[in-house]
Amino acid sequence: MSRYAWEVDEDGKRREVYDSDLTQEFRSREVEVWLEAWLTPQAAMWSEESWRWQIVAEYCRLKTVVEMRPDANAALVAQLHRFRDQIGLTPAGLRENGWEIVADESAGKQDPEPSGGTVKPQRRLRAV
């Protein structure tokens, strides 16, 4: 997604011009948001439902837009919340999708810590 900045020309008129630095910053942040999203327990379910990938991508783009524009209008913020619900990133979204995040009790049994300490159970997502 190309980003633009306002510039005043020699006639005193404001116009939007392509901003390569802002565009690169936006793209970098969008990739970070994408990677963070795929580290969530919900990603286990998304990986089985390829039709959700576009929704996850749209969520990542919109989240980046809202983050980079603190003055984003309320409609964008509301849409971001709807995306979170659709992909199960809110408690309501988890319920709507029939998902539940539970402790993975088998994780500690598979690879115990060599120091003899306790292993924290990992979280995983399951459909209920």
Side-chain angles (χ1 to χ4, degrees), residues 1 3 22-40 46 56-65 67-68:
M1 172 178 252
R3 305 301 295 172
L22 190 56
T23 298
Q24 184 56 44
E25 182 183 341
F26 184 90
R27 289 179 181 165
S28 294
R29 179 59 187 146
E30 191 174 23
V31 169
E32 287 175 18
V33 172
W34 174 263
L35 295 173
E36 289 168 4
W38 283 93
L39 291 175
T40 65
W46 303 337
V56 175
E58 291 167 351
Y59 158 76
C60 294
R61 171 148 299 163
L62 186 57
K63 183 176 189 315
T64 303
V65 167
E67 283 180 355
M68 295 187 82

Side-chain angles (χ1 to χ4, degrees), residues 69-94:
R69 297 223 25 163
D71 60 338
N73 67 41
L76 286 179
V77 175
Q79 184 60 42
L80 181 61
H81 188 71
R82 283 192 288 277
F83 274 123
R84 286 184 174 133
D85 283 343
Q86 287 178 0
I87 60 177
L89 291 178
T90 65
L94 288 170

